[in-house]
Amino acid sequence: MAMKSITFSFADQLPKGKDIARVVPVESKDTEVTRTKTGSREIRIGVDAFKKMTRRKLQTLFRRVITIAKQNRIKQLAIDMNDFAFANLALPIRDVGQMAAINMQLANFEFIRYKTKPKEGWNLVEKITIKGAKSKDMREGFRRGQIISGEINKMRELANTPGGEMTPAVLAKAAMDAADDTDINVQVLGVIEMELLGMGGILGVGKGSDSEPKFIVMEYMAGELGQKPIVLVGKGITFDTGGLNLKPGMSMEEMHMDMSGGAAVIHAITAAAKLGVKRNIVALVPAAENMPSGRSYRMGDVLRTMNGKTIEIGHTDAEGRVVLADALEYSKRYKPEVVIDVATLTGAAQVALGQKASAFFATDEILEKKIRELGEKSGDYVWPFPLWEEYESMIKGTFADVTNSSKTRGAGAIEGAMFLWQFIKGTPWVHIDMAPRMSSAEGDFLAKGSTGEPMRLLIAFLESQ
């Protein structure tokens, strides 16, 4: 069962009633939910200082509105957008509407597919009436926000799906379903097609599973004829046990979300199509399950990838970079303007950044600056790491061209990026290690499970080009 989204309606006057709560920001450290003399409810949501409002704080404020409503089992809200027009921000009206719609929908999301519906119904906000949205720009912002948040929450549904039900074939079917009623063409390559292409990385990682690997190709060609496409590549490990280098139990708990990068690019390209972005865009997802069995790839094995480079397996739990190697090589077929890969690649990224931002790497300063700025604007925060040649020695193989895991201490996130770089050199490239933002953290005002990041950043990039 998928949950319903909030319904937004627009009115010249806000409705009143015992079941409707008016939301009013107040300059205070405290938040109160009260009853007015007429019996209507009012959420007086505390804001430390109106003059110190930032874009970051505003996004969180919209999420807090929903969180407080859910805590008080309030299903209908009334909001005057003029109350959220903080003068010091001077944000475009469309941006505010889009930000409100996205963040309120994200905060309302709960993964309820496997839960029995309680007698009193789900504790979710169902309807919000908006005043102060007469302008076309404001309404357009809400319209866009509904599309974007809808696709982000579908990504979260995919990422939260238990590993026993999320196989490479299921992920491929989800990509085809996402593309329904859009101009996206979807092709799914199986084992035979990957063997013909020489995709030894994906095939090697997927050998140990009873579920065969798949390679998902999604093409949305809405740009001008001959326009170089943007290629998005997403890691699609549908469950990661670590392979023969088996993970400890607690480290395996959330590994059904190891395909979050794949889910993100599937729904980013879908959102772009639904928004009518006039670009040529391709999404590639190497999907496999990393399982231990008598057929599993081993430490010391040498895999030959699509471009002929060989990989020495230093650790079977460094599988994401191995499947991405083939996908990055495949991306070159499109002679892309830029390739962006998204992957829950390393725990080291989370060690470096905690759970507040994704790590990223870019091949030039212009790309790096753009990704940082769009991350800040979209709310999917990222922080740059270096791609210095001095780190290349870390991934030099002993019996093969490269190793997927060295014995070097430290710089694990950089090691993963340096490995991937070997398969995409010469092409403008961004690598987003989203492991820190795979699942929600305290202060996110999101339900436990997938955050939906970095989809807002990807969509913002696609539109900015």
Side-chain angles (χ1 to χ4, degrees):
M1 176 189 290
M3 60 165 284
K4 292 183 179 179
S5 298
I6 298 169
T7 299
F8 290 101
S9 62
F10 303 95
D12 293 334
Q13 297 296 326
L14 292 178
K16 295 179 181 180
K18 292 182 178 180
D19 297 327
I20 302 171
R22 166 79 187 273
V23 180
V24 182
V26 292
E27 204 157 9
S28 169
K29 291 185 178 181
D30 300 319
T31 293
E32 293 182 304
V33 180
T34 62
R35 288 275 185 190
T36 66
K37 292 180 180 179
T38 60
S40 295
R41 301 181 85 176
E42 189 169 86
I43 298 174
R44 298 175 63 79
I45 187 164
V47 176
D48 280 349
F50 285 3
K51 289 182 179 180
K52 292 184 179 179
M53 180 58 65
T54 64
R55 192 177 192 114
R56 285 189 175 211
K57 290 179 180 178
L58 183 57
Q59 297 194 68
T60 301
L61 181 60
F62 285 127
R63 292 186 185 182
R64 286 176 56 211
V65 167
I66 301 301
T67 301
I68 293 162
K70 289 163 70 176
Q71 288 170 348
N72 289 273
R73 304 196 68 84
I74 298 169
K75 296 185 178 299
Q76 293 190 54
L77 299 175
I79 295 175
D80 187 339
M81 289 303 293
N82 293 312
D83 294 334
F84 291 83
F86 296 95
N88 64 303
L89 282 182
L91 292 175
I93 290 174
R94 194 181 83 164
D95 285 8
V96 176
Q98 180 171 312
M99 186 190 300
I102 290 174
N103 285 284
M104 288 193 282
Q105 294 284 21
L106 296 188
N108 201 48
F109 174 88
E110 302 276 351
F111 187 58
I112 58 175
R113 186 189 304 173
Y114 301 96
K115 292 184 177 182
T116 301
K117 187 174 182 179
K119 291 180 181 179
E120 65 275 16
W122 301 112
N123 185 23
L124 300 168
V125 176
E126 297 175 355
K127 182 178 180 180
I128 301 178
T129 304
I130 303 292
K131 180 185 175 185
K134 284 186 176 181
S135 75
K136 288 183 180 179
D137 282 348
M138 177 69 81
R139 294 200 182 203
E140 174 64 7
F142 271 92
R143 184 192 72 83
R144 288 170 48 80
Q146 288 283 68
I147 293 171
I148 294 168
S149 61
E151 293 304 314
I152 293 173
N153 284 341
K154 287 176 185 176
M155 176 220 160
R156 295 166 80 187
E157 283 276 339
L158 275 185
N160 286 336
T161 302
E165 296 191 22
M166 179 49 66
T167 65
V170 170
L171 186 59
K173 175 64 164 54
M176 291 186 282
D177 290 344
D180 277 351
D181 300 321
T182 72
D183 293 328
I184 299 171
N185 178 57
V186 182
Q187 183 183 12
V188 179
L189 308 185
V191 169
I192 293 174
E193 291 91 344
M194 286 188 278
E195 286 176 343
L196 292 172
L197 289 168
M199 291 181 162
I202 302 171
L203 293 170
V205 170
K207 277 197 310 181
S209 174
D210 291 338
S211 299
E212 291 186 347
K214 303 290 181 184
F215 189 73
I216 304 163
V217 181
M218 304 177 75
E219 298 176 340
Y220 171 67
M221 299 301 183
E224 295 178 3
L225 187 66
Q227 180 190 71
K228 289 185 175 183
I230 298 168
V231 180
L232 306 177
V233 179
K235 173 184 169 184
I237 299 297
T238 56
F239 194 80
D240 182 19
T241 65
L244 293 179
N245 290 121
L246 197 67
K247 292 177 182 288
M250 292 303 291
S251 299
M252 212 185 298
E253 184 180 9
E254 291 188 325
M255 284 300 99
H256 59 285
M257 288 193 278
D258 209 22
M259 38 61 73
S260 295
V265 304
I266 286 170
H267 285 285
I269 192 173
T270 305
K274 290 182 177 180
L275 289 167
V277 176
K278 300 300 181 185
R279 283 288 324 186
N280 292 333
I281 305 166
V282 177
L284 306 174
V285 182
E289 191 175 46
N290 188 21
M291 297 289 280
S293 77
R295 300 185 306 274
S296 297
Y297 76 142
R298 303 158 174 82
M299 289 181 70
D301 279 359
V302 174
L303 305 180
R304 186 174 297 277
T305 60
M306 186 179 170
N307 74 349
K309 282 185 186 291
T310 52
I311 302 172
E312 182 178 345
I313 302 303
H315 203 288
T316 62
D317 195 22
E319 84 299 325
R321 65 199 67 179
V322 178
V323 301
L324 287 171
D326 283 330
L328 291 174
E329 177 60 31
Y330 191 93
S331 74
K332 296 177 187 175
R333 290 183 159 206
Y334 295 95
K335 296 179 172 55
E337 176 185 321
V338 62
V339 175
I340 302 177
D341 79 67
V342 186
T344 48
L345 204 73
T346 68
Q350 185 168 332
V351 171
L353 294 171
Q355 288 185 276
K356 300 303 181 185
S358 294
F360 84 99
F361 301 76
T363 49
D364 63 69
E365 290 181 1
I366 295 173
L367 264 177
E368 180 181 299
K369 183 173 183 288
K370 185 163 195 172
I371 293 293
R372 278 189 65 183
E373 288 176 348
L374 291 175
E376 190 67 32
K377 182 178 179 181
S378 68
D380 287 347
Y381 307 125
V382 293
W383 194 254
F385 282 62
L387 265 182
W388 297 337
E389 291 181 356
E390 286 85 347
Y391 287 107
E392 280 192 283
S393 60
M394 297 171 69
I395 48 90
K396 185 176 181 181
T398 302
F399 301 110
D401 296 323
V402 293
T403 178
N404 75 328
S405 180
S406 72
K407 301 297 186 289
T408 307
R409 288 175 60 89
I414 297 173
E415 179 185 271
M418 292 306 300
F419 176 93
L420 295 176
W421 191 29
Q422 309 310 304
F423 297 87
I424 197 67
K425 279 189 177 182
T427 300
W429 171 63
V430 176
H431 162 56
I432 301 175
D433 189 338
M434 62 163 289
R437 296 298 299 149
M438 180 182 77
S439 56
S440 60
E442 186 177 352
D444 285 343
F445 297 97
L446 296 174
K448 184 176 173 58
S450 172
T451 63
E453 295 191 20
M455 268 191 63
R456 289 176 296 173
L457 169 57
L458 294 179
I459 295 165
F461 185 89
L462 295 174
E463 290 196 304
S464 73
Q465 294 298 96

